[in-house]
Amino acid sequence: MQDSKRPVLKHILACVLFLGAVTAVLAGTEKTAKKATTTNLFVPASATKAAQAINRGALEAPLRFLSDDLLEGRGVASRGDQTARLYLASSLELLGFQPGAPGSSWQQPVEMVGIKSHAPKTWDFKAGNQAVELKWWDDYIVFSKVQEPTASIKNAELVFVGYGIQAPEYKWDDFKGMDLKGKVLVMMNNDPDWDPKLFEGNRRLFYGRWVYKYESAARQGAAAAIIIHTTPSAGYPWQVVQTSWSGEQFELPAGSEPRIQVAGWATEDSTRRLFQAAGKDLDKLIQQAKSRDFKPVPLGITTSLELTDDIDRVKTANVLGLMPGSDPKLKDEVVILTAHHDHFGIGAPDKTGDKIYNGAVDNAAGCATVLAIAKAVAALPERPKRSILIAFVAAEEQGLLGSEYLAKHPTFPPGKIAANINYDGANLLGRTRDVSYIGMGKSADLDQLVAKLAAQQGRILQGEPFPDRGYFYRSDQFNFAKIGVPALYLKSGTDFIGKPAGWGKEQAEEFEAHRYHQPSDQFNPNWTYDGMIEDTRLGFFATLSIANNPTLPTWNPGDEFEAARKKALGK
Ligand SMILES: [Zn+2]
């Protein structure tokens, strides 16, 4: 079991055992069909043979092609982006999928607006007769939230609003009905994390992400929102705020949703200095905000600011392929598999002079995984009961925009989407004793499904490694969760067979430091595929089980996405 040859034998054995176990489960469910719960497996016996279609070639070929220098890093709206889309659509067509986008098209066009804001070198505030000046870059970073040539705040008052959260399920409302129209809201980052019963304790929920905070301020009709940066509450240092927010920012074209004019971040030190000028103690206010009884605190500080924006419009697309379900009723429902096809294109050269950001692991590997699952689905003698939609989504690296567009313009109504399974990255280092997924603990149905499938591969399910970092909200499945769809972001394990303890973690850290979002994330002919094959087969079985299960998976009661699901289901 520890050397490199034995696992192959064990793998064959596992498949045989798997077949036996599935047959037993299916036999059991026939008798107790009425009591069927989502924790049973609904994987047909024929799946074992179809899963053989997921082999090294099925994974390596698309991975090698998509990360080739000829694809030029698949930068948004580039020739490489178009080539990748053409390849993915053609591959789905070869496998027998149908065009999945409206108008019998393979591609769902996604238009995006790029905004590059120019901020003044200093931002001036008035506290009574005192003037306070914050320095751009060192003290604050701001950007426009309107797609206009200018974004402005005029003589607006600052109000401290604690976390800036309204969460009925936790009976939490930081605004308490106060009129915040036209104000500049100053907010703490993260969500309440000191009590396991409040906002799931240490786990960062959507309420703790900057995306939520700016949207929350917009719902109040505010003019601007400033998030106070601290390294523990953000999970990253100030320098990440500086580099991530100072370049061009892409968004979907503005609709009728409320928008603030200006969004920004300020360092804790500069916020403290600003508050002091108005005779307010930041630390005391933060303490007050850690209570349900907190009310917004007007700070007696006013400010004006004007940003000029360069606006740019570009087009890309999501590639969608459909395998219609075999059941006359359930075919109207769908399981959506996603992987983003974009990366960073051609950019600044690294030390070796390489400027092509190939994005092999991120995310040619995820596309290869989903394509291999599509191949196995196509190899089944009978199609799954529900439809399967393969979605290679665009512009993930620009802020999950392709999946946001798809979730806002879904090809099946949200209540008819059984689940989303997303892939970003893959394990190219060998087999693991464990499996993990981001977002585990939010849906008992999905947790049990993955645990059972892992057990059949002789593996164990591990919890999410860093729940406080909010990874669930930083990848494409999140946009589906937002419209209520239960979502799985499947990840490989870290406990590698034949390697010392801690090796997997070291490899992950090595990748993050030296290859993640760098030109060196490129194809390696020495990669091993055993682990990726096993992970992909697990995803294939999970897809089938969800597609064939008479019952839809659900979020856990009280989960942050439960209300959206109920709404989607008309409950
Ligand atoms: Zn990435």
Side-chain angles (χ1 to χ4, degrees):
M1 242 174 87
Q2 300 287 325
D3 64 54
S4 59
K5 282 184 190 144
R6 291 278 276 293
V8 179
L9 275 178
K10 195 190 160 233
H11 196 82
I12 295 165
L13 191 62
C15 290
V16 175
L17 290 173
F18 180 65
L19 177 63
V22 166
T23 316
V25 168
L26 290 180
T29 53
E30 262 168 43
K31 280 180 212 145
T32 56
K34 272 190 189 154
K35 278 195 213 153
T37 69
T38 47
T39 57
N40 286 327
L41 290 179
F42 295 86
V43 182
S46 59
T48 307
K49 186 153 178 270
Q52 302 296 314
I54 299 167
N55 52 31
R56 179 179 177 140
L59 296 168
E60 189 176 21
L63 179 42
R64 190 198 294 112
F65 181 91
L66 290 167
S67 61
D68 194 280
D69 276 357
L70 285 172
L71 276 282
E72 298 179 343
R74 309 184 307 279
V76 160
S78 69
R79 181 187 159 96
D81 171 346
Q82 292 179 0
T83 312
R85 284 186 264 134
L86 183 62
Y87 168 79
L88 292 166
S90 303
S91 301
L92 289 173
E93 190 170 6
L94 273 170
L95 291 172
F97 277 70
Q98 300 176 2
S104 292
S105 169
W106 290 101
Q107 301 200 25
Q108 177 185 44
V110 178
E111 196 192 359
M112 308 187 321
V113 179
I115 311 167
K116 168 111 179 79
S117 297
H118 302 278
K121 290 288 164 215
T122 59
W123 187 356
D124 302 324
F125 296 83
K126 259 188 245 156
N129 45 19
Q130 280 206 65
V132 182
E133 197 179 86
L134 299 192
K135 278 202 186 76
W136 180 77
W137 195 256
D138 293 339
D139 297 333
Y140 80 92
I141 291 288
V142 282
F143 40 96
S144 169
K145 286 304 269 178
V146 289
Q147 298 167 3
E148 309 284 344
T150 55
S152 63
I153 309 168
K154 283 186 194 87
N155 200 26
E157 188 186 11
L158 273 66
V159 181
F160 177 70
V161 293
Y163 290 96
I165 292 176
Q166 286 181 303
E169 67 273 40
Y170 295 110
K171 298 187 175 56
W172 193 282
D173 179 2
D174 282 323
F175 303 128
K176 305 285 188 307
M178 193 181 272
D179 182 4
L180 297 168
K181 278 189 199 71
K183 310 283 186 201
V184 175
L185 308 190
V186 185
M187 306 173 161
M188 291 151 66
N189 203 351
N190 208 349
D191 55 46
D193 61 356
W194 58 87
D195 176 354
K197 282 187 226 107
L198 258 185
F199 296 87
E200 298 189 32
N202 177 41
R203 180 196 283 270
R204 187 187 302 257
L205 299 182
F206 180 44
Y207 297 113
R209 296 268 306 147
W210 52 262
V211 191
Y212 171 83
K213 295 188 185 271
Y214 295 142
E215 287 177 3
S216 178
R219 280 191 290 272
Q220 297 304 308
I226 304 170
I227 298 174
I228 306 166
H229 175 269
T230 68
T231 300
S233 68
Y236 40 79
W238 176 245
Q239 160 236 327
V240 172
V241 174
Q242 293 170 320
T243 51
S244 336
W245 291 109
S246 47
E248 187 176 26
Q249 309 293 327
F250 283 94
E251 296 180 343
L252 295 180
S256 56
E257 72 282 356
R259 283 179 171 254
I260 47 177
Q261 288 278 318
V262 172
W265 292 80
T267 63
E268 189 182 18
D269 284 350
S270 63
T271 311
R272 183 169 287 116
R273 183 153 56 84
L274 180 60
F275 281 27
Q276 260 164 12
K280 298 280 195 279
D281 182 334
L282 175 64
D283 301 302
K284 267 195 197 146
L285 289 175
I286 288 175
Q287 277 317 309
Q288 284 174 29
K290 293 187 173 184
S291 154
R292 276 199 177 94
D293 302 326
F294 169 82
K295 283 193 195 84
V297 180
L299 295 167
I301 304 172
T302 56
T303 190
S304 297
L305 181 72
E306 185 161 294
L307 308 179
T308 53
D309 298 333
D310 301 333
I311 307 279
D312 186 24
R313 284 178 187 267
V314 296
K315 278 189 178 140
T316 177
N318 296 323
V319 175
L320 306 182
L322 184 73
M323 182 66 78
S326 60
D327 183 273
K329 269 196 169 161
L330 292 180
K331 74 173 173 27
D332 295 337
E333 296 178 346
V334 69
V335 179
I336 303 184
L337 289 158
T338 47
H340 74 86
H341 62 67
D342 65 301
H343 197 58
F344 289 103
I346 297 175
D350 66 7
K351 288 198 294 273
T352 69
D354 188 358
K355 352 177 241 200
I356 302 177
Y357 288 68
N358 304 81
V361 169
D362 179 13
N363 188 29
C367 291
T369 304
V370 170
L371 211 46
I373 294 175
K375 185 179 171 221
V377 168
L380 287 165
E382 191 183 350
R383 299 195 311 273
K385 291 192 163 95
R386 290 192 177 85
S387 298
I388 309 286
L389 181 72
I390 304 291
F392 295 109
V393 291
E396 187 269 355
E397 306 288 11
Q398 308 300 333
L400 319 181
L401 296 181
S403 58
E404 182 185 344
Y405 188 84
L406 180 55
K408 285 179 172 165
H409 304 88
T411 55
F412 284 75
K416 299 278 185 192
I417 305 174
N420 167 233
I421 303 180
N422 184 50
Y423 286 93
D424 199 344
N427 164 23
L428 292 149
L429 301 170
R431 294 182 56 219
T432 58
R433 294 184 190 86
D434 57 341
V435 179
S436 70
Y437 80 85
I438 308 290
M440 186 180 147
K442 298 178 74 63
S443 163
D445 292 339
L446 295 179
D447 292 357
Q448 283 163 23
L449 172 65
V450 180
K452 281 193 177 187
L453 292 171
Q456 288 185 336
Q457 292 182 326
R459 301 201 283 172
I460 55 157
L461 178 57
Q462 291 281 23
E464 191 178 326
F466 305 103
D468 55 320
R469 293 196 193 164
Y471 283 127
F472 186 79
Y473 314 95
R474 292 160 68 173
S475 220
D476 290 307
Q477 75 291 332
F478 168 56
N479 281 316
F480 292 95
K482 254 180 135 178
I483 59 165
V485 176
L488 260 179
Y489 173 17
L490 284 169
K491 289 301 229 188
S492 183
T494 50
D495 182 10
F496 283 82
I497 294 170
K499 300 287 181 193
W503 186 84
K505 205 174 153 251
E506 269 167 39
Q507 295 298 308
E509 284 164 358
E510 192 274 335
F511 178 80
E512 200 151 306
H514 303 294
R515 283 176 291 142
Y516 176 67
H517 287 188
Q518 296 176 38
S520 49
D521 176 11
Q522 52 197 353
F523 184 78
N524 179 347
N526 299 323
W527 275 332
T528 51
Y529 289 83
D530 312 9
M532 187 173 176
I533 290 170
E534 206 161 35
D535 289 349
T536 307
R537 287 181 181 171
L538 187 147
F540 169 56
F541 297 136
T543 305
L544 294 185
S545 192
I546 298 168
N548 290 323
N549 191 331
T551 314
L552 292 169
T554 61
W555 296 106
N556 290 343
D559 186 87
E560 59 189 322
F561 302 116
E562 193 194 26
R565 187 58 164 173
K566 283 187 171 160
K567 194 177 150 211
L569 293 169
K571 282 184 184 169

